[in-house]
Amino acid sequence: MTAADRAERTTAADALCARALEEAGAPEAGVALVAVGGYGRRELAPFSDLDVVLVADEGYDDTELAALAGRVWYPLWDSGWKLDHAVRTNAEMLTAAEKDLRVAAGLLDMRHVAGDTNLALRTRTTLLAQWRRQARRRLPELRELVVGRHRTVGELAHLSVPDLKEAAGGLRDATVLRGLAATWLVDVPAADLERCRNQLLDVRDVLHEVAGRGTDRIAPEHWEPLAERLGLPGELEAQRHVRELGRRVTHLSRLAWRRADDVLRRSPANRPRRPELVPLAPGVAAARDEVVLERRARPASDPVLLLRAAAEAATRDLVLAPATAARLVRECPALPEPWPQEARQQMVRLLASGPGLLPVWETLDETGALERLLPEWERIRLLPHASPIHRFTVDRHVVETCIEAAALIREVSRPDVLVVAALLHDIGKGGLTEHSVAGAPIAREVARRMGFGPEEVELIATLVRWHLLLADVATTRDPDDPATIEALTQHVSTPEALDLLAALTEADAKAASTKAWTSWRAGLVLDLARRARASLLQGAVPPPLGGEEIEVPPAALAGELAVEVERVPDGSRVTVVAPDRIGLLAGVAAAFALRRVSVRAARVWSQGEHGVSVWDVADDHLDPRALRDQLEAIGAGRVDPATRLAPRERPADQLAPTVVVRPEASDQATVIEVRAADRLGVVYQVTAALAALEMTVRSAHISTLGPQAVDVFYVQEAHAGALAETRAAQAAHAVRAAISERT
C-alpha cells in the first residue's frame, strides 16, 4: 500500500465515521469525532484499527452522551472495521493526558474527523499548549520510556528480526520525535523525518500483505517477498533499505535527545541568546554540546580538519554537528596517500575514544564522510551477520569492537595498532571467501594508506588474518598438548603480537554478545595467551592454571563414586572421581544431559587406579547428591540413557552433523572434531560410541557458536597413545553414526 492508497483508505474511514455520527443524531455543535493514535497520524493500513474518540463539550449529559456513543459505534462495528474507541469531555481529555504520558503523546496528532470542527480544534490546541507548558517536566519521563524500550527491543538497523514499530529507529521513535518537535524546545528535521516515517509505513503495509496479518516484525522468510513488492533487486537490498531507514531515524533521535538534554540542563533565564564558541583545536570549537567550526576555520586548506573535528567530538563525548560534518565533506580536500602523521593520529584518537565513538561515527556515515576516509566500509555497511550469536550488523559490531578495544589500550604496547585492527577485523565479510582470509590484504592496504610503517602494516594484517585463532584454539584444543601452543605461535610469533591478539579477541567477543565472553571462555583464552607468551619468551611452556593432580576423596578410595560441585562464575565446576573404567565419561555426560545441564568443557585423566573428570557446566544450582544418585543409577543399569537421549528427527533445513579427524592437532592423542546442531546429549552419544570401541577420552572441549556446537575430543587407546589410522577412521564412523539425527 502506497501513501496514496493510505490516503484513500483514510478518506473512506473518515466518511464512514461522519455518516455514523450523522445517522446517530448528533447535534451540530458540542460533539465531535476525532482520530488519534495510528489513524490520527494517517497510518491507516489493512490491519490497523480505527482509533477514535467521541469528544463532548463541558456540561453535556453523561447518559445522553453514552447513548449517542452506542449509536455511533455499532454501525462502525457492523461495517467490519476494528474499532478502538473512547468517550471523553474536553476536560477529561486534558486530565487523561496529564496522568498518562503515553496518552499525551498519542493525542498530539489528534485530527478532526466529523462533527463540531471548532470543538476539535479547541481541544487539540489546548492539548498542545498543555504539552508545551509541561515539556520541561515531562521530557525526562519520556526519555526514560524511550531508553527502556530501546534496551528491551534493540535497534531496527541491527536486529536479526527487526521490529518496525517498537525498535529504536522505528515508527514509535518517529512519533516521539514529532512530540519533541511539538515542544518547541528542540528542532527536528521535519522533512527528513517524514520521509523516513512514510517509507517505514510503506514497508509495514507490504509486510502486512506478505504475512497476511497485522505484524511489525520482519521474519527471515519475509525479506524476499518484501524485496519483490518494494521493487528491490533482492532480500539483501531490502534489508539495507529497512535498516538504512531505521538507522537514520535512530540518528535523528540521538541528536534530538542530546539537544533536548542540553535545553533541560539550562534554565530559560540563563540560556544565552547566541551560543558561545569554546576553542578545542585548530579550526574546531564547541558550541554548547556540539562540535562546530571556528569562525577562522578554512576547510579548503586543511585536509585533516574533518578527522580533527570528529576526534574532538568523540573524545569529549560531544555531538559532531551534522551540518559541520557535511560542510567538511564538501570543502575539505582529499587526504594525500599515505596520510600525514596528524591524520593517522586523529583517526587513532577517534577509534580509541570509547563510547563517544558511536554517535560521531554514525554522523560520519550519514554525511558521506566515511566514503572518503574509508571506502572499504561500504562492503560491510548494514551487512547482516550470518551467526545469530551476533547482536548487531557487521558495521555496528565493528564500531562496538573499537569501543571495547578502547578499554584495553593500556594493556598493550601498540594501542594504535589495536584500535585499527579492531576497525578492520571483519572488513573481509560480505564475500564468498572466509572473511579473515579476505580481510587481511584489505587491512594491509588500508593500514598502508593511513601511513603506518611496513612492520605495523604487517602486524595489523596478521591480527586481522588470525583474529579468530586464539579463541578457537583455546576452546577446542587440549591446553596440555604441546601441539596446542604450536598451533597458535606458528602464526602469531612475537609476544607483542600475542598481547594484541588477546586484546582484540576479548574486544571482538564482548562486542558480539554477552554469551561470547563468559568467565569460562575468558579464562581459557587468557590462560592460553599467558602460556603461549611464556613459550615465546622462555622457550618453555608453563602448565595450565589448575594442575591435574587432585586429592582423591575418601569415598573414591573406598571404591565408591565421589561427586563434588564448586560454584564458579557463570556456572559450576563438577569433579567426579571413581574407580577407573571405560565408559565412565559417557555415564557422567548422560547424567548432565538427562538433567538438561549444558556442558562447556570436560577434562579427563587417570590418577592411579581412579578415573577423574572435571566438568565446567552452565548451571550454578547443581545438587551433588542428586547428581551422584543419577550417576549410580546409570552405572547400575537402572536408567538407560541410550533410549532417552537418542537423536531426534532432524529438520529438513538443518545441516547434517560432521565428524572430522584432526591428525595435526596432537601427537599424543587422536583429535576428533564434531560439529552438530546445539542440543543436549551429543557429548554422551560421542563418548558412548568411543567407549563401545574400548577407547578412552583424555579430554573434551565443548563450544557453542550460535546454534552450532563444536565439540573436540582427544581420544586414545585404553592402554596406549593415539589411535592408528584405521582405528581413527573406525572411531569417526562410529561417532558419525551415533549422532546422526533421523531425517
Side-chain angles (χ1 to χ4, degrees), residues 378-410:
E378 187 60 30
R379 63 181 292 138
I380 63 170
R381 191 171 185 268
L382 294 173
L383 181 67
H385 259 113
S387 171
I389 197 172
H390 282 274
R391 53 182 170 166
F392 297 123
T393 50
V394 177
D395 57 344
R396 174 64 181 277
H397 166 74
V398 165
V399 177
E400 293 289 338
T401 302
C402 291
I403 294 172
E404 295 292 347
L408 304 172
I409 59 175
R410 294 186 178 180

PDB file of all heavy atoms in Angstrom, residues 378-410:
ATOM      1  N   GLU A 378      31.940   0.420   2.760  1.00  0.00           N
ATOM      2  CA  GLU A 378      30.697   0.132   2.059  1.00  0.00           C
ATOM      3  C   GLU A 378      30.428  -1.371   1.959  1.00  0.00           C
ATOM      4  O   GLU A 378      29.277  -1.795   1.946  1.00  0.00           O
ATOM      5  CB  GLU A 378      30.729   0.749   0.651  1.00  0.00           C
ATOM      6  CG  GLU A 378      29.419   0.647  -0.107  1.00  0.00           C
ATOM      7  CD  GLU A 378      28.261   1.342   0.591  1.00  0.00           C
ATOM      8  OE1 GLU A 378      28.513   2.340   1.311  1.00  0.00           O
ATOM      9  OE2 GLU A 378      27.108   0.901   0.428  1.00  0.00           O
ATOM     10  N   ARG A 379      31.455  -2.205   1.933  1.00  0.00           N
ATOM     11  CA  ARG A 379      31.251  -3.641   1.781  1.00  0.00           C
ATOM     12  C   ARG A 379      30.620  -4.271   3.027  1.00  0.00           C
ATOM     13  O   ARG A 379      30.000  -5.341   2.927  1.00  0.00           O
ATOM     14  CB  ARG A 379      32.562  -4.341   1.427  1.00  0.00           C
ATOM     15  CG  ARG A 379      33.642  -4.257   2.481  1.00  0.00           C
ATOM     16  CD  ARG A 379      34.914  -4.957   2.011  1.00  0.00           C
ATOM     17  NE  ARG A 379      34.718  -6.401   1.904  1.00  0.00           N
ATOM     18  CZ  ARG A 379      35.183  -7.143   0.913  1.00  0.00           C
ATOM     19  NH1 ARG A 379      35.846  -6.585  -0.075  1.00  0.00           N
ATOM     20  NH2 ARG A 379      34.982  -8.440   0.909  1.00  0.00           N
ATOM     21  N   ILE A 380      30.764  -3.623   4.185  1.00  0.00           N
ATOM     22  CA  ILE A 380      30.152  -4.189   5.393  1.00  0.00           C
ATOM     23  C   ILE A 380      29.027  -3.316   5.934  1.00  0.00           C
ATOM     24  O   ILE A 380      28.416  -3.655   6.952  1.00  0.00           O
ATOM     25  CB  ILE A 380      31.199  -4.416   6.507  1.00  0.00           C
ATOM     26  CG1 ILE A 380      31.829  -3.087   6.950  1.00  0.00           C
ATOM     27  CG2 ILE A 380      32.254  -5.413   6.067  1.00  0.00           C
ATOM     28  CD1 ILE A 380      32.690  -3.193   8.199  1.00  0.00           C
ATOM     29  N   ARG A 381      28.734  -2.219   5.263  1.00  0.00           N
ATOM     30  CA  ARG A 381      27.722  -1.280   5.759  1.00  0.00           C
ATOM     31  C   ARG A 381      26.357  -1.955   5.810  1.00  0.00           C
ATOM     32  O   ARG A 381      25.843  -2.453   4.814  1.00  0.00           O
ATOM     33  CB  ARG A 381      27.680  -0.058   4.851  1.00  0.00           C
ATOM     34  CG  ARG A 381      26.873   1.103   5.374  1.00  0.00           C
ATOM     35  CD  ARG A 381      27.099   2.312   4.471  1.00  0.00           C
ATOM     36  NE  ARG A 381      26.438   3.494   5.006  1.00  0.00           N
ATOM     37  CZ  ARG A 381      25.208   3.852   4.669  1.00  0.00           C
ATOM     38  NH1 ARG A 381      24.525   3.130   3.811  1.00  0.00           N
ATOM     39  NH2 ARG A 381      24.665   4.926   5.191  1.00  0.00           N
ATOM     40  N   LEU A 382      25.762  -2.009   7.020  1.00  0.00           N
ATOM     41  CA  LEU A 382      24.445  -2.607   7.261  1.00  0.00           C
ATOM     42  C   LEU A 382      24.378  -4.063   6.823  1.00  0.00           C
ATOM     43  O   LEU A 382      23.302  -4.593   6.552  1.00  0.00           O
ATOM     44  CB  LEU A 382      23.348  -1.800   6.555  1.00  0.00           C
ATOM     45  CG  LEU A 382      23.140  -0.379   7.084  1.00  0.00           C
ATOM     46  CD1 LEU A 382      22.153   0.372   6.209  1.00  0.00           C
ATOM     47  CD2 LEU A 382      22.673  -0.391   8.519  1.00  0.00           C
ATOM     48  N   LEU A 383      25.524  -4.739   6.782  1.00  0.00           N
ATOM     49  CA  LEU A 383      25.564  -6.151   6.387  1.00  0.00           C
ATOM     50  C   LEU A 383      25.127  -7.025   7.558  1.00  0.00           C
ATOM     51  O   LEU A 383      25.722  -6.958   8.636  1.00  0.00           O
ATOM     52  CB  LEU A 383      26.981  -6.529   5.956  1.00  0.00           C
ATOM     53  CG  LEU A 383      27.203  -7.969   5.493  1.00  0.00           C
ATOM     54  CD1 LEU A 383      26.462  -8.223   4.180  1.00  0.00           C
ATOM     55  CD2 LEU A 383      28.696  -8.250   5.333  1.00  0.00           C
ATOM     56  N   PRO A 384      24.091  -7.864   7.386  1.00  0.00           N
ATOM     57  CA  PRO A 384      23.663  -8.724   8.498  1.00  0.00           C
ATOM     58  C   PRO A 384      24.711  -9.793   8.793  1.00  0.00           C
ATOM     59  O   PRO A 384      25.406 -10.265   7.891  1.00  0.00           O
ATOM     60  CB  PRO A 384      22.363  -9.359   7.977  1.00  0.00           C
ATOM     61  CG  PRO A 384      21.962  -8.549   6.792  1.00  0.00           C
ATOM     62  CD  PRO A 384      23.218  -7.994   6.218  1.00  0.00           C
ATOM     63  N   HIS A 385      24.809 -10.187  10.042  1.00  0.00           N
ATOM     64  CA  HIS A 385      25.696 -11.276  10.426  1.00  0.00           C
ATOM     65  C   HIS A 385      25.032 -12.613  10.127  1.00  0.00           C
ATOM     66  O   HIS A 385      23.825 -12.777  10.321  1.00  0.00           O
ATOM     67  CB  HIS A 385      26.034 -11.203  11.915  1.00  0.00           C
ATOM     68  CG  HIS A 385      27.378 -10.622  12.191  1.00  0.00           C
ATOM     69  ND1 HIS A 385      27.558  -9.414  12.824  1.00  0.00           N
ATOM     70  CD2 HIS A 385      28.632 -11.067  11.900  1.00  0.00           C
ATOM     71  CE1 HIS A 385      28.857  -9.146  12.930  1.00  0.00           C
ATOM     72  NE2 HIS A 385      29.523 -10.132  12.381  1.00  0.00           N
ATOM     73  N   ALA A 386      25.829 -13.561   9.662  1.00  0.00           N
ATOM     74  CA  ALA A 386      25.286 -14.894   9.397  1.00  0.00           C
ATOM     75  C   ALA A 386      25.013 -15.651  10.693  1.00  0.00           C
ATOM     76  O   ALA A 386      24.119 -16.478  10.759  1.00  0.00           O
ATOM     77  CB  ALA A 386      26.258 -15.690   8.520  1.00  0.00           C
ATOM     78  N   SER A 387      25.787 -15.366  11.738  1.00  0.00           N
ATOM     79  CA  SER A 387      25.640 -16.082  13.003  1.00  0.00           C
ATOM     80  C   SER A 387      24.709 -15.335  13.949  1.00  0.00           C
ATOM     81  O   SER A 387      24.906 -14.141  14.199  1.00  0.00           O
ATOM     82  CB  SER A 387      27.005 -16.253  13.676  1.00  0.00           C
ATOM     83  OG  SER A 387      26.862 -16.753  14.996  1.00  0.00           O
ATOM     84  N   PRO A 388      23.708 -16.031  14.505  1.00  0.00           N
ATOM     85  CA  PRO A 388      22.785 -15.363  15.427  1.00  0.00           C
ATOM     86  C   PRO A 388      23.406 -15.008  16.765  1.00  0.00           C
ATOM     87  O   PRO A 388      22.785 -14.321  17.557  1.00  0.00           O
ATOM     88  CB  PRO A 388      21.659 -16.390  15.599  1.00  0.00           C
ATOM     89  CG  PRO A 388      22.286 -17.699  15.287  1.00  0.00           C
ATOM     90  CD  PRO A 388      23.323 -17.428  14.247  1.00  0.00           C
ATOM     91  N   ILE A 389      24.637 -15.466  17.023  1.00  0.00           N
ATOM     92  CA  ILE A 389      25.274 -15.087  18.284  1.00  0.00           C
ATOM     93  C   ILE A 389      25.609 -13.600  18.287  1.00  0.00           C
ATOM     94  O   ILE A 389      25.775 -12.981  19.335  1.00  0.00           O
ATOM     95  CB  ILE A 389      26.558 -15.935  18.516  1.00  0.00           C
ATOM     96  CG1 ILE A 389      26.985 -15.847  19.985  1.00  0.00           C
ATOM     97  CG2 ILE A 389      27.681 -15.483  17.614  1.00  0.00           C
ATOM     98  CD1 ILE A 389      28.101 -16.786  20.356  1.00  0.00           C
ATOM     99  N   HIS A 390      25.674 -13.003  17.095  1.00  0.00           N
ATOM    100  CA  HIS A 390      25.953 -11.567  16.995  1.00  0.00           C
ATOM    101  C   HIS A 390      24.669 -10.779  17.182  1.00  0.00           C
ATOM    102  O   HIS A 390      23.659 -11.061  16.558  1.00  0.00           O
ATOM    103  CB  HIS A 390      26.577 -11.237  15.643  1.00  0.00           C
ATOM    104  CG  HIS A 390      28.027 -11.583  15.549  1.00  0.00           C
ATOM    105  ND1 HIS A 390      29.016 -10.727  15.965  1.00  0.00           N
ATOM    106  CD2 HIS A 390      28.655 -12.699  15.104  1.00  0.00           C
ATOM    107  CE1 HIS A 390      30.198 -11.286  15.769  1.00  0.00           C
ATOM    108  NE2 HIS A 390      30.011 -12.477  15.251  1.00  0.00           N
ATOM    109  N   ARG A 391      24.734  -9.730  18.007  1.00  0.00           N
ATOM    110  CA  ARG A 391      23.551  -8.919  18.272  1.00  0.00           C
ATOM    111  C   ARG A 391      23.434  -7.738  17.317  1.00  0.00           C
ATOM    112  O   ARG A 391      22.407  -7.064  17.303  1.00  0.00           O
ATOM    113  CB  ARG A 391      23.595  -8.400  19.716  1.00  0.00           C
ATOM    114  CG  ARG A 391      24.886  -7.683  20.077  1.00  0.00           C
ATOM    115  CD  ARG A 391      24.928  -7.225  21.516  1.00  0.00           C
ATOM    116  NE  ARG A 391      26.267  -6.761  21.885  1.00  0.00           N
ATOM    117  CZ  ARG A 391      26.533  -6.074  22.979  1.00  0.00           C
ATOM    118  NH1 ARG A 391      25.551  -5.751  23.795  1.00  0.00           N
ATOM    119  NH2 ARG A 391      27.759  -5.707  23.260  1.00  0.00           N
ATOM    120  N   PHE A 392      24.485  -7.469  16.518  1.00  0.00           N
ATOM    121  CA  PHE A 392      24.486  -6.315  15.639  1.00  0.00           C
ATOM    122  C   PHE A 392      24.819  -6.727  14.215  1.00  0.00           C
ATOM    123  O   PHE A 392      25.343  -7.820  13.963  1.00  0.00           O
ATOM    124  CB  PHE A 392      25.539  -5.285  16.091  1.00  0.00           C
ATOM    125  CG  PHE A 392      25.295  -4.695  17.446  1.00  0.00           C
ATOM    126  CD1 PHE A 392      26.249  -4.780  18.439  1.00  0.00           C
ATOM    127  CD2 PHE A 392      24.107  -4.039  17.725  1.00  0.00           C
ATOM    128  CE1 PHE A 392      26.039  -4.218  19.690  1.00  0.00           C
ATOM    129  CE2 PHE A 392      23.881  -3.480  18.974  1.00  0.00           C
ATOM    130  CZ  PHE A 392      24.845  -3.572  19.959  1.00  0.00           C
ATOM    131  N   THR A 393      24.538  -5.814  13.278  1.00  0.00           N
ATOM    132  CA  THR A 393      25.047  -5.969  11.928  1.00  0.00           C
ATOM    133  C   THR A 393      26.571  -5.813  11.961  1.00  0.00           C
ATOM    134  O   THR A 393      27.147  -5.364  12.950  1.00  0.00           O
ATOM    135  CB  THR A 393      24.440  -4.915  10.994  1.00  0.00           C
ATOM    136  OG1 THR A 393      24.582  -3.626  11.601  1.00  0.00           O
ATOM    137  CG2 THR A 393      22.967  -5.184  10.725  1.00  0.00           C
ATOM    138  N   VAL A 394      27.215  -6.172  10.834  1.00  0.00           N
ATOM    139  CA  VAL A 394      28.679  -6.218  10.835  1.00  0.00           C
ATOM    140  C   VAL A 394      29.278  -4.839  11.114  1.00  0.00           C
ATOM    141  O   VAL A 394      30.219  -4.712  11.905  1.00  0.00           O
ATOM    142  CB  VAL A 394      29.193  -6.775   9.494  1.00  0.00           C
ATOM    143  CG1 VAL A 394      30.721  -6.752   9.462  1.00  0.00           C
ATOM    144  CG2 VAL A 394      28.692  -8.203   9.284  1.00  0.00           C
ATOM    145  N   ASP A 395      28.741  -3.799  10.467  1.00  0.00           N
ATOM    146  CA  ASP A 395      29.333  -2.474  10.660  1.00  0.00           C
ATOM    147  C   ASP A 395      29.205  -1.992  12.098  1.00  0.00           C
ATOM    148  O   ASP A 395      30.151  -1.464  12.681  1.00  0.00           O
ATOM    149  CB  ASP A 395      28.735  -1.464   9.680  1.00  0.00           C
ATOM    150  CG  ASP A 395      27.224  -1.362   9.783  1.00  0.00           C
ATOM    151  OD1 ASP A 395      26.590  -2.248  10.375  1.00  0.00           O
ATOM    152  OD2 ASP A 395      26.657  -0.382   9.252  1.00  0.00           O
ATOM    153  N   ARG A 396      28.041  -2.202  12.696  1.00  0.00           N
ATOM    154  CA  ARG A 396      27.873  -1.785  14.089  1.00  0.00           C
ATOM    155  C   ARG A 396      28.735  -2.638  15.020  1.00  0.00           C
ATOM    156  O   ARG A 396      29.306  -2.132  15.995  1.00  0.00           O
ATOM    157  CB  ARG A 396      26.398  -1.888  14.474  1.00  0.00           C
ATOM    158  CG  ARG A 396      26.102  -1.619  15.939  1.00  0.00           C
ATOM    159  CD  ARG A 396      26.437  -0.180  16.364  1.00  0.00           C
ATOM    160  NE  ARG A 396      26.152   0.004  17.772  1.00  0.00           N
ATOM    161  CZ  ARG A 396      24.939   0.291  18.261  1.00  0.00           C
ATOM    162  NH1 ARG A 396      23.918   0.466  17.430  1.00  0.00           N
ATOM    163  NH2 ARG A 396      24.755   0.438  19.548  1.00  0.00           N
ATOM    164  N   HIS A 397      28.869  -3.927  14.714  1.00  0.00           N
ATOM    165  CA  HIS A 397      29.731  -4.784  15.522  1.00  0.00           C
ATOM    166  C   HIS A 397      31.168  -4.280  15.506  1.00  0.00           C
ATOM    167  O   HIS A 397      31.861  -4.292  16.539  1.00  0.00           O
ATOM    168  CB  HIS A 397      29.676  -6.226  15.009  1.00  0.00           C
ATOM    169  CG  HIS A 397      30.762  -7.104  15.556  1.00  0.00           C
ATOM    170  ND1 HIS A 397      30.762  -7.571  16.847  1.00  0.00           N
ATOM    171  CD2 HIS A 397      31.909  -7.573  14.991  1.00  0.00           C
ATOM    172  CE1 HIS A 397      31.850  -8.295  17.062  1.00  0.00           C
ATOM    173  NE2 HIS A 397      32.562  -8.303  15.952  1.00  0.00           N
ATOM    174  N   VAL A 398      31.628  -3.832  14.347  1.00  0.00           N
ATOM    175  CA  VAL A 398      32.995  -3.322  14.238  1.00  0.00           C
ATOM    176  C   VAL A 398      33.174  -2.085  15.124  1.00  0.00           C
ATOM    177  O   VAL A 398      34.183  -1.949  15.829  1.00  0.00           O
ATOM    178  CB  VAL A 398      33.312  -2.995  12.768  1.00  0.00           C
ATOM    179  CG1 VAL A 398      34.556  -2.128  12.653  1.00  0.00           C
ATOM    180  CG2 VAL A 398      33.508  -4.282  11.982  1.00  0.00           C
ATOM    181  N   VAL A 399      32.203  -1.177  15.113  1.00  0.00           N
ATOM    182  CA  VAL A 399      32.290   0.015  15.959  1.00  0.00           C
ATOM    183  C   VAL A 399      32.288  -0.384  17.435  1.00  0.00           C
ATOM    184  O   VAL A 399      33.057   0.160  18.241  1.00  0.00           O
ATOM    185  CB  VAL A 399      31.133   0.982  15.643  1.00  0.00           C
ATOM    186  CG1 VAL A 399      31.174   2.188  16.582  1.00  0.00           C
ATOM    187  CG2 VAL A 399      31.201   1.450  14.197  1.00  0.00           C
ATOM    188  N   GLU A 400      31.423  -1.333  17.796  1.00  0.00           N
ATOM    189  CA  GLU A 400      31.385  -1.796  19.189  1.00  0.00           C
ATOM    190  C   GLU A 400      32.704  -2.456  19.582  1.00  0.00           C
ATOM    191  O   GLU A 400      33.146  -2.344  20.730  1.00  0.00           O
ATOM    192  CB  GLU A 400      30.223  -2.779  19.379  1.00  0.00           C
ATOM    193  CG  GLU A 400      28.841  -2.161  19.236  1.00  0.00           C
ATOM    194  CD  GLU A 400      28.477  -1.256  20.397  1.00  0.00           C
ATOM    195  OE1 GLU A 400      29.077  -1.407  21.484  1.00  0.00           O
ATOM    196  OE2 GLU A 400      27.594  -0.395  20.216  1.00  0.00           O
ATOM    197  N   THR A 401      33.346  -3.153  18.640  1.00  0.00           N
ATOM    198  CA  THR A 401      34.649  -3.757  18.928  1.00  0.00           C
ATOM    199  C   THR A 401      35.688  -2.680  19.207  1.00  0.00           C
ATOM    200  O   THR A 401      36.525  -2.826  20.112  1.00  0.00           O
ATOM    201  CB  THR A 401      35.095  -4.630  17.744  1.00  0.00           C
ATOM    202  OG1 THR A 401      34.112  -5.634  17.482  1.00  0.00           O
ATOM    203  CG2 THR A 401      36.418  -5.322  18.052  1.00  0.00           C
ATOM    204  N   CYS A 402      35.641  -1.587  18.450  1.00  0.00           N
ATOM    205  CA  CYS A 402      36.560  -0.473  18.726  1.00  0.00           C
ATOM    206  C   CYS A 402      36.314   0.106  20.120  1.00  0.00           C
ATOM    207  O   CYS A 402      37.267   0.443  20.839  1.00  0.00           O
ATOM    208  CB  CYS A 402      36.392   0.612  17.671  1.00  0.00           C
ATOM    209  SG  CYS A 402      36.959   0.155  16.022  1.00  0.00           S
ATOM    210  N   ILE A 403      35.048   0.221  20.496  1.00  0.00           N
ATOM    211  CA  ILE A 403      34.715   0.756  21.816  1.00  0.00           C
ATOM    212  C   ILE A 403      35.249  -0.158  22.913  1.00  0.00           C
ATOM    213  O   ILE A 403      35.819   0.297  23.918  1.00  0.00           O
ATOM    214  CB  ILE A 403      33.191   0.946  21.941  1.00  0.00           C
ATOM    215  CG1 ILE A 403      32.715   2.042  20.979  1.00  0.00           C
ATOM    216  CG2 ILE A 403      32.798   1.298  23.379  1.00  0.00           C
ATOM    217  CD1 ILE A 403      31.210   2.175  20.885  1.00  0.00           C
ATOM    218  N   GLU A 404      35.086  -1.471  22.734  1.00  0.00           N
ATOM    219  CA  GLU A 404      35.607  -2.425  23.725  1.00  0.00           C
ATOM    220  C   GLU A 404      37.137  -2.403  23.738  1.00  0.00           C
ATOM    221  O   GLU A 404      37.753  -2.503  24.804  1.00  0.00           O
ATOM    222  CB  GLU A 404      35.103  -3.830  23.408  1.00  0.00           C
ATOM    223  CG  GLU A 404      33.595  -4.021  23.536  1.00  0.00           C
ATOM    224  CD  GLU A 404      33.099  -3.931  24.967  1.00  0.00           C
ATOM    225  OE1 GLU A 404      33.937  -3.969  25.893  1.00  0.00           O
ATOM    226  OE2 GLU A 404      31.877  -3.837  25.169  1.00  0.00           O
ATOM    227  N   ALA A 405      37.750  -2.286  22.559  1.00  0.00           N
ATOM    228  CA  ALA A 405      39.212  -2.255  22.492  1.00  0.00           C
ATOM    229  C   ALA A 405      39.771  -1.020  23.174  1.00  0.00           C
ATOM    230  O   ALA A 405      40.877  -1.055  23.742  1.00  0.00           O
ATOM    231  CB  ALA A 405      39.665  -2.304  21.037  1.00  0.00           C
ATOM    232  N   ALA A 406      39.019   0.075  23.137  1.00  0.00           N
ATOM    233  CA  ALA A 406      39.489   1.312  23.776  1.00  0.00           C
ATOM    234  C   ALA A 406      39.709   1.125  25.270  1.00  0.00           C
ATOM    235  O   ALA A 406      40.558   1.792  25.868  1.00  0.00           O
ATOM    236  CB  ALA A 406      38.490   2.439  23.523  1.00  0.00           C
ATOM    237  N   ALA A 407      38.948   0.220  25.878  1.00  0.00           N
ATOM    238  CA  ALA A 407      39.109  -0.036  27.316  1.00  0.00           C
ATOM    239  C   ALA A 407      40.331  -0.889  27.617  1.00  0.00           C
ATOM    240  O   ALA A 407      40.686  -1.066  28.786  1.00  0.00           O
ATOM    241  CB  ALA A 407      37.851  -0.718  27.854  1.00  0.00           C
ATOM    242  N   LEU A 408      40.988  -1.425  26.570  1.00  0.00           N
ATOM    243  CA  LEU A 408      42.117  -2.342  26.769  1.00  0.00           C
ATOM    244  C   LEU A 408      43.434  -1.762  26.286  1.00  0.00           C
ATOM    245  O   LEU A 408      44.448  -2.463  26.277  1.00  0.00           O
ATOM    246  CB  LEU A 408      41.841  -3.660  26.023  1.00  0.00           C
ATOM    247  CG  LEU A 408      40.546  -4.388  26.390  1.00  0.00           C
ATOM    248  CD1 LEU A 408      40.321  -5.562  25.446  1.00  0.00           C
ATOM    249  CD2 LEU A 408      40.585  -4.876  27.835  1.00  0.00           C
ATOM    250  N   ILE A 409      43.452  -0.496  25.874  1.00  0.00           N
ATOM    251  CA  ILE A 409      44.657   0.033  25.231  1.00  0.00           C
ATOM    252  C   ILE A 409      45.839   0.139  26.187  1.00  0.00           C
ATOM    253  O   ILE A 409      46.992   0.140  25.742  1.00  0.00           O
ATOM    254  CB  ILE A 409      44.374   1.405  24.577  1.00  0.00           C
ATOM    255  CG1 ILE A 409      43.878   2.415  25.612  1.00  0.00           C
ATOM    256  CG2 ILE A 409      43.378   1.274  23.444  1.00  0.00           C
ATOM    257  CD1 ILE A 409      43.692   3.822  25.045  1.00  0.00           C
ATOM    258  N   ARG A 410      45.592   0.208  27.492  1.00  0.00           N
ATOM    259  CA  ARG A 410      46.703   0.296  28.440  1.00  0.00           C
ATOM    260  C   ARG A 410      47.353  -1.054  28.698  1.00  0.00           C
ATOM    261  O   ARG A 410      48.369  -1.127  29.388  1.00  0.00           O
ATOM    262  CB  ARG A 410      46.219   0.904  29.754  1.00  0.00           C
ATOM    263  CG  ARG A 410      45.794   2.357  29.626  1.00  0.00           C
ATOM    264  CD  ARG A 410      45.449   2.987  30.953  1.00  0.00           C
ATOM    265  NE  ARG A 410      45.093   4.402  30.811  1.00  0.00           N
ATOM    266  CZ  ARG A 410      44.752   5.189  31.807  1.00  0.00           C
ATOM    267  NH1 ARG A 410      44.744   4.709  33.041  1.00  0.00           N
ATOM    268  NH2 ARG A 410      44.438   6.452  31.588  1.00  0.00           N
TER     269      ARG A 410
END
